[in-house]
């Protein structure tokens, strides 16, 4: 008769001090840790009571994710090494080399005036000069808009450097050509 190993039991929660509003502190149970973009979250179980059947009162636990280290402190002598921990996925080599990328899309800051040649400026969506509350254009639509009379591409945000080669051809400017 073969026996298969039984699954490992979930690690038992460990005590941790939780800082509550009003300068209160309580010892709770730490269930899990999660790395997020701006730090860490800890899932803690705070001791509480709840109403039970027949008007009874019974112990309960209220679980909540709190920020670490802002809302938690270690308990002396307790190891937190075995607490289930969820890490952010490691960025790909491409993301590590390129770094953070700006949001995609383009926006048109329309110039005043009337008529078909009133023009405007095409900006990247994160440009300081870009208007807010206007529709975001795909690269195809931004190229169409950029070809309209009176429309120019912003040189501050790189719209000109990124869209001009597509409009005018990539090989322009190479091999001594202008």
């Amino acid at each position: 008769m073969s026996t298969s190993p039984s699954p490992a039991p979930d690690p038992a929660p460990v005590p941790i001090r939780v800082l509550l509003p009003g300068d209160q502190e309580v010892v709770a149970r730490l269930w899990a840790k999660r790395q997020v973009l701006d730090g860490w979250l800890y899932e803690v179980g705070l001791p509480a009571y709840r109403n039970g059947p027949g008007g009874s009162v019974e112990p309960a636990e209220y679980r909540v994710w709190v920020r670490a280290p802002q809302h938690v402190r270690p308990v002396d002598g307790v190891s937190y090494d075995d607490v289930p921990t969820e890490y952010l996925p490691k960025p790909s080599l491409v993301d590590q080399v390129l770094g953070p990328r700006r949001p995609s899309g383009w926006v048109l800051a329309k110039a005043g005036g009337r008529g078909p040649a009133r023009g405007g400026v095409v900006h990247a969506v994160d440009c300081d000069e870009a208007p807010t509350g206007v529709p975001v254009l795909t690269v195809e639509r931004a190229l169409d808009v950029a070809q309209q009379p009176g429309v120019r591409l912003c040189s501050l945000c790189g719209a000109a450097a990124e869209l001009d080669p597509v409009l005018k051809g990539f090989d322009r400017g190479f091999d001594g050509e202008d």
Side-chain angles (χ1 to χ4, degrees):
M1 175 171 144
S2 75
T3 59
S4 61
S6 60
D10 288 335
V14 293
I16 192 160
R17 292 184 298 146
V18 178
L19 308 174
L20 299 174
D23 295 325
Q24 297 178 38
E25 185 177 296
V26 65
V27 175
R29 300 191 310 169
L30 177 60
W31 287 95
K33 300 184 291 185
R34 178 181 296 157
Q35 185 182 27
V36 292
L37 289 176
D38 60 346
W40 286 89
L41 296 176
Y42 281 21
E43 184 184 24
V44 297
L46 298 167
Y49 290 104
R50 71 173 165 222
N51 294 327
S56 66
V57 177
E58 49 190 42
E61 182 176 73
Y62 174 72
R63 287 197 191 180
V64 62
W65 288 93
V66 296
R67 294 231 166 252
Q70 297 93 324
H71 301 123
V72 293
R73 299 287 182 268
V75 172
D76 291 337
V78 174
S79 171
Y80 297 96
D81 294 341
D82 293 331
V83 174
T85 304
E86 184 180 317
Y87 295 95
L88 284 176
K90 202 169 182 188
S92 71
L93 182 58
V94 170
D95 289 337
Q96 289 177 26
V97 170
L98 293 178
R101 293 179 230 165
R102 73 169 197 232
S104 62
W106 309 91
V107 293
L108 174 64
K110 293 182 181 176
R114 297 180 180 256
R118 67 179 178 198
V121 180
V122 175
H123 298 276
V125 292
D126 61 344
C127 179
D128 291 338
E129 302 293 320
T132 58
V134 297
V136 176
L137 308 173
T138 64
V139 68
E140 293 84 8
R141 182 69 184 122
L143 290 168
D144 290 342
V145 168
Q147 293 181 47
Q148 295 175 5
V151 174
R152 66 180 184 83
L153 301 171
C154 177
S155 57
L156 296 175
C157 64
E162 294 177 30
L163 296 177
D164 249 355
V166 180
L167 288 170
K168 298 176 179 170
F170 284 99
D171 54 351
R172 246 188 109 181
F174 291 102
D175 300 328
E177 298 175 19
D178 288 328

